Amino acid sequence: MKMNFVVPCLMGVESLIAAELKDIGAEDVRAENARVLFSGDEHILARANLCLREAERVQIIVGSFRALTFEQLFQGVKALPWENWIGKNDAFPVKGYSLNSKLFSTRDIQAITKKAIVERLKQKYKVPWFSESGVTYQIQFSILKNEVTMVIDTTGTGLHKRGYRLQANEAPIKETLAASLCSLARVRNYHTLYDPMCGSGTILIEGAMKALNMAPGLHRTFAAESFPQIPASVWSEERTRAADLIDFDCSFEAYGSDIDPSSIEIARENARRAGVDTRVHLEVADIRNFERKSERGTVICNPPYGERLLEVQEAEELYKIMGSKFPQERGWAYYVISSDEEFEKLFGRRADKRRKLYNGMIKCQYYMYFKN
């Protein structure tokens, strides 16, 4: 059964996800702002959930249409083939958002969408009401410039929830963003990765999982596993496939340090839970004492940004220290994400390349130093 999908994502990582989707065999892949569209069968649905590193979730596109009025919205939703997915006992909660459109009341859009689906299913199943006691199909609408897209979520809890991070320090980087930083730094299975301000270890763990070709969703469950349209054998086969692709023989190693002992303990436990603790080596240390353990290396870090005046001053002093500890040298590359527009000046040299990314709602630049 061929389906059309959409993957919502952080701004700036669309091309990374598009490349991943092509690698896993998805068809009709095309990147747009903050989302990537593709098509495939049940195996691609499961594979995308298991394997995508930078995506937020995987959604089935039920249909799209233009709507300027609530009547157009109602008729457009009602015309879609909801019965292909939703049974007469199934639950179908509705949520979504609207941007730059004539229809902007989320509550009204939600209510009308629900009513239209109910009316469609009443006609199909010849029943007056729905118990919604069965499988849950989370429906989500998005209205952008009056273009309505209706999807069914297949993921459940967001894909950034890999399952290994039970605890985190005060401002943990999201797993999907950490994976994006590693992809943009071209982390490979022969690299040595460093993060001298590792916090709870997310960048190091995501780097190790990428290097070992370890599917990030291998040890968690997904909403679509309860969909009767997707055979359990599909999930079993795809999990076996993902497990078989792990490269345990690669030479990758990672070294992390942090000034906070409790963060290092959390990072150590997270690495253990992720199954990469033999590759991720951790110690308590100040960045002023950063030491290399190899002849070549890739450094990726997410230093504190500083939101209050004192913190800003401390962050700026940290950037100066980083500039002195990360010299331009053959075999070494440095990647730093920061919201400080003066970062390059404080670091001491211009980046070879920059990329705009968002850390949560904070607009950042990813500063890349890789030329020798």
Side-chain angles (χ1 to χ4, degrees), residues 149-167:
T149 302
M150 291 283 165
V151 304
I152 292 173
D153 178 54
T154 72
T155 300
T157 303
L159 288 177
H160 69 282
K161 296 286 190 181
R162 321 291 208 205
Y164 65 75
R165 196 163 79 177
L166 284 184
Q167 301 182 74

PDB file of all heavy atoms in Angstrom, residues 149-167:
ATOM      1  N   THR A 149      -3.814  20.919   5.240  1.00  0.00           N
ATOM      2  CA  THR A 149      -3.272  19.568   5.133  1.00  0.00           C
ATOM      3  C   THR A 149      -3.742  18.769   6.337  1.00  0.00           C
ATOM      4  O   THR A 149      -3.621  19.223   7.477  1.00  0.00           O
ATOM      5  CB  THR A 149      -1.728  19.579   5.097  1.00  0.00           C
ATOM      6  OG1 THR A 149      -1.284  20.381   3.998  1.00  0.00           O
ATOM      7  CG2 THR A 149      -1.184  18.168   4.934  1.00  0.00           C
ATOM      8  N   MET A 150      -4.311  17.601   6.067  1.00  0.00           N
ATOM      9  CA  MET A 150      -4.801  16.720   7.120  1.00  0.00           C
ATOM     10  C   MET A 150      -3.929  15.462   7.181  1.00  0.00           C
ATOM     11  O   MET A 150      -3.722  14.795   6.155  1.00  0.00           O
ATOM     12  CB  MET A 150      -6.248  16.311   6.848  1.00  0.00           C
ATOM     13  CG  MET A 150      -7.234  17.445   7.000  1.00  0.00           C
ATOM     14  SD  MET A 150      -7.570  17.794   8.742  1.00  0.00           S
ATOM     15  CE  MET A 150      -8.363  19.410   8.614  1.00  0.00           C
ATOM     16  N   VAL A 151      -3.420  15.171   8.374  1.00  0.00           N
ATOM     17  CA  VAL A 151      -2.525  14.018   8.516  1.00  0.00           C
ATOM     18  C   VAL A 151      -2.945  13.152   9.697  1.00  0.00           C
ATOM     19  O   VAL A 151      -3.683  13.592  10.587  1.00  0.00           O
ATOM     20  CB  VAL A 151      -1.061  14.471   8.721  1.00  0.00           C
ATOM     21  CG1 VAL A 151      -0.594  15.370   7.590  1.00  0.00           C
ATOM     22  CG2 VAL A 151      -0.866  15.163  10.071  1.00  0.00           C
ATOM     23  N   ILE A 152      -2.445  11.913   9.691  1.00  0.00           N
ATOM     24  CA  ILE A 152      -2.564  11.007  10.841  1.00  0.00           C
ATOM     25  C   ILE A 152      -1.150  10.728  11.334  1.00  0.00           C
ATOM     26  O   ILE A 152      -0.270  10.343  10.554  1.00  0.00           O
ATOM     27  CB  ILE A 152      -3.257   9.689  10.450  1.00  0.00           C
ATOM     28  CG1 ILE A 152      -4.734   9.949  10.095  1.00  0.00           C
ATOM     29  CG2 ILE A 152      -3.171   8.675  11.591  1.00  0.00           C
ATOM     30  CD1 ILE A 152      -5.458   8.726   9.542  1.00  0.00           C
ATOM     31  N   ASP A 153      -0.928  10.939  12.623  1.00  0.00           N
ATOM     32  CA  ASP A 153       0.398  10.731  13.203  1.00  0.00           C
ATOM     33  C   ASP A 153       0.671   9.248  13.384  1.00  0.00           C
ATOM     34  O   ASP A 153      -0.181   8.496  13.872  1.00  0.00           O
ATOM     35  CB  ASP A 153       0.492  11.447  14.550  1.00  0.00           C
ATOM     36  CG  ASP A 153       1.830  11.215  15.226  1.00  0.00           C
ATOM     37  OD1 ASP A 153       2.859  11.483  14.582  1.00  0.00           O
ATOM     38  OD2 ASP A 153       1.850  10.747  16.376  1.00  0.00           O
ATOM     39  N   THR A 154       1.868   8.812  13.000  1.00  0.00           N
ATOM     40  CA  THR A 154       2.249   7.408  13.172  1.00  0.00           C
ATOM     41  C   THR A 154       3.263   7.208  14.294  1.00  0.00           C
ATOM     42  O   THR A 154       3.583   6.072  14.634  1.00  0.00           O
ATOM     43  CB  THR A 154       2.880   6.838  11.880  1.00  0.00           C
ATOM     44  OG1 THR A 154       4.195   7.389  11.687  1.00  0.00           O
ATOM     45  CG2 THR A 154       2.025   7.143  10.666  1.00  0.00           C
ATOM     46  N   THR A 155       3.749   8.313  14.853  1.00  0.00           N
ATOM     47  CA  THR A 155       4.886   8.240  15.769  1.00  0.00           C
ATOM     48  C   THR A 155       4.495   8.127  17.230  1.00  0.00           C
ATOM     49  O   THR A 155       5.055   7.327  17.984  1.00  0.00           O
ATOM     50  CB  THR A 155       5.800   9.469  15.562  1.00  0.00           C
ATOM     51  OG1 THR A 155       6.274   9.468  14.214  1.00  0.00           O
ATOM     52  CG2 THR A 155       6.980   9.450  16.515  1.00  0.00           C
ATOM     53  N   GLY A 156       3.526   8.937  17.651  1.00  0.00           N
ATOM     54  CA  GLY A 156       3.202   8.998  19.082  1.00  0.00           C
ATOM     55  C   GLY A 156       4.113  10.008  19.751  1.00  0.00           C
ATOM     56  O   GLY A 156       4.219  11.148  19.306  1.00  0.00           O
ATOM     57  N   THR A 157       4.772   9.606  20.811  1.00  0.00           N
ATOM     58  CA  THR A 157       5.752  10.486  21.449  1.00  0.00           C
ATOM     59  C   THR A 157       6.806  10.868  20.419  1.00  0.00           C
ATOM     60  O   THR A 157       7.256  10.030  19.649  1.00  0.00           O
ATOM     61  CB  THR A 157       6.429   9.762  22.630  1.00  0.00           C
ATOM     62  OG1 THR A 157       5.420   9.327  23.539  1.00  0.00           O
ATOM     63  CG2 THR A 157       7.394  10.670  23.346  1.00  0.00           C
ATOM     64  N   GLY A 158       7.191  12.152  20.387  1.00  0.00           N
ATOM     65  CA  GLY A 158       8.097  12.665  19.369  1.00  0.00           C
ATOM     66  C   GLY A 158       9.350  11.832  19.175  1.00  0.00           C
ATOM     67  O   GLY A 158       9.848  11.186  20.105  1.00  0.00           O
ATOM     68  N   LEU A 159       9.878  11.850  17.959  1.00  0.00           N
ATOM     69  CA  LEU A 159      11.042  11.029  17.628  1.00  0.00           C
ATOM     70  C   LEU A 159      12.295  11.423  18.400  1.00  0.00           C
ATOM     71  O   LEU A 159      13.237  10.630  18.502  1.00  0.00           O
ATOM     72  CB  LEU A 159      11.336  11.109  16.122  1.00  0.00           C
ATOM     73  CG  LEU A 159      10.356  10.384  15.197  1.00  0.00           C
ATOM     74  CD1 LEU A 159      10.732  10.611  13.741  1.00  0.00           C
ATOM     75  CD2 LEU A 159      10.315   8.891  15.503  1.00  0.00           C
ATOM     76  N   HIS A 160      12.316  12.630  18.960  1.00  0.00           N
ATOM     77  CA  HIS A 160      13.493  13.010  19.760  1.00  0.00           C
ATOM     78  C   HIS A 160      13.573  12.216  21.064  1.00  0.00           C
ATOM     79  O   HIS A 160      14.632  12.155  21.684  1.00  0.00           O
ATOM     80  CB  HIS A 160      13.485  14.507  20.054  1.00  0.00           C
ATOM     81  CG  HIS A 160      12.406  14.941  20.994  1.00  0.00           C
ATOM     82  ND1 HIS A 160      11.098  15.099  20.593  1.00  0.00           N
ATOM     83  CD2 HIS A 160      12.437  15.247  22.313  1.00  0.00           C
ATOM     84  CE1 HIS A 160      10.375  15.491  21.630  1.00  0.00           C
ATOM     85  NE2 HIS A 160      11.155  15.582  22.682  1.00  0.00           N
ATOM     86  N   LYS A 161      12.477  11.590  21.436  1.00  0.00           N
ATOM     87  CA  LYS A 161      12.475  10.751  22.636  1.00  0.00           C
ATOM     88  C   LYS A 161      12.990   9.357  22.279  1.00  0.00           C
ATOM     89  O   LYS A 161      12.227   8.452  21.979  1.00  0.00           O
ATOM     90  CB  LYS A 161      11.053  10.660  23.216  1.00  0.00           C
ATOM     91  CG  LYS A 161      10.493  11.988  23.710  1.00  0.00           C
ATOM     92  CD  LYS A 161      11.130  12.403  25.012  1.00  0.00           C
ATOM     93  CE  LYS A 161      10.411  13.594  25.619  1.00  0.00           C
ATOM     94  NZ  LYS A 161      11.023  14.040  26.874  1.00  0.00           N
ATOM     95  N   ARG A 162      14.299   9.208  22.305  1.00  0.00           N
ATOM     96  CA  ARG A 162      14.906   7.925  21.921  1.00  0.00           C
ATOM     97  C   ARG A 162      14.681   6.860  22.984  1.00  0.00           C
ATOM     98  O   ARG A 162      14.681   5.673  22.694  1.00  0.00           O
ATOM     99  CB  ARG A 162      16.412   8.067  21.726  1.00  0.00           C
ATOM    100  CG  ARG A 162      16.892   9.345  21.047  1.00  0.00           C
ATOM    101  CD  ARG A 162      16.513   9.440  19.600  1.00  0.00           C
ATOM    102  NE  ARG A 162      17.466  10.250  18.848  1.00  0.00           N
ATOM    103  CZ  ARG A 162      17.172  10.895  17.735  1.00  0.00           C
ATOM    104  NH1 ARG A 162      15.941  10.838  17.236  1.00  0.00           N
ATOM    105  NH2 ARG A 162      18.090  11.601  17.092  1.00  0.00           N
ATOM    106  N   GLY A 163      14.577   7.301  24.245  1.00  0.00           N
ATOM    107  CA  GLY A 163      14.406   6.349  25.336  1.00  0.00           C
ATOM    108  C   GLY A 163      15.616   6.202  26.232  1.00  0.00           C
ATOM    109  O   GLY A 163      15.543   5.569  27.281  1.00  0.00           O
ATOM    110  N   TYR A 164      16.742   6.802  25.821  1.00  0.00           N
ATOM    111  CA  TYR A 164      17.948   6.635  26.646  1.00  0.00           C
ATOM    112  C   TYR A 164      18.126   7.738  27.676  1.00  0.00           C
ATOM    113  O   TYR A 164      18.877   7.582  28.622  1.00  0.00           O
ATOM    114  CB  TYR A 164      19.202   6.544  25.771  1.00  0.00           C
ATOM    115  CG  TYR A 164      19.556   7.789  24.980  1.00  0.00           C
ATOM    116  CD1 TYR A 164      20.110   8.910  25.589  1.00  0.00           C
ATOM    117  CD2 TYR A 164      19.368   7.831  23.601  1.00  0.00           C
ATOM    118  CE1 TYR A 164      20.448  10.040  24.861  1.00  0.00           C
ATOM    119  CE2 TYR A 164      19.705   8.951  22.866  1.00  0.00           C
ATOM    120  CZ  TYR A 164      20.247  10.058  23.499  1.00  0.00           C
ATOM    121  OH  TYR A 164      20.577  11.171  22.769  1.00  0.00           O
ATOM    122  N   ARG A 165      17.448   8.861  27.509  1.00  0.00           N
ATOM    123  CA  ARG A 165      17.715   9.999  28.378  1.00  0.00           C
ATOM    124  C   ARG A 165      16.663  10.093  29.484  1.00  0.00           C
ATOM    125  O   ARG A 165      15.615  10.695  29.309  1.00  0.00           O
ATOM    126  CB  ARG A 165      17.752  11.291  27.554  1.00  0.00           C
ATOM    127  CG  ARG A 165      18.401  12.432  28.307  1.00  0.00           C
ATOM    128  CD  ARG A 165      18.811  13.544  27.365  1.00  0.00           C
ATOM    129  NE  ARG A 165      17.705  14.387  26.959  1.00  0.00           N
ATOM    130  CZ  ARG A 165      17.829  15.455  26.186  1.00  0.00           C
ATOM    131  NH1 ARG A 165      19.016  15.786  25.707  1.00  0.00           N
ATOM    132  NH2 ARG A 165      16.783  16.169  25.850  1.00  0.00           N
ATOM    133  N   LEU A 166      16.971   9.517  30.628  1.00  0.00           N
ATOM    134  CA  LEU A 166      16.064   9.593  31.766  1.00  0.00           C
ATOM    135  C   LEU A 166      16.213  10.924  32.489  1.00  0.00           C
ATOM    136  O   LEU A 166      15.264  11.483  33.004  1.00  0.00           O
ATOM    137  CB  LEU A 166      16.348   8.459  32.755  1.00  0.00           C
ATOM    138  CG  LEU A 166      15.854   7.070  32.351  1.00  0.00           C
ATOM    139  CD1 LEU A 166      16.129   6.087  33.472  1.00  0.00           C
ATOM    140  CD2 LEU A 166      14.369   7.093  32.033  1.00  0.00           C
ATOM    141  N   GLN A 167      17.443  11.424  32.521  1.00  0.00           N
ATOM    142  CA  GLN A 167      17.700  12.669  33.214  1.00  0.00           C
ATOM    143  C   GLN A 167      18.504  13.585  32.303  1.00  0.00           C
ATOM    144  O   GLN A 167      19.122  13.158  31.347  1.00  0.00           O
ATOM    145  CB  GLN A 167      18.519  12.426  34.491  1.00  0.00           C
ATOM    146  CG  GLN A 167      17.873  11.510  35.494  1.00  0.00           C
ATOM    147  CD  GLN A 167      18.726  11.376  36.732  1.00  0.00           C
ATOM    148  OE1 GLN A 167      18.802  12.271  37.546  1.00  0.00           O
ATOM    149  NE2 GLN A 167      19.395  10.248  36.870  1.00  0.00           N
TER     150      GLN A 167
END
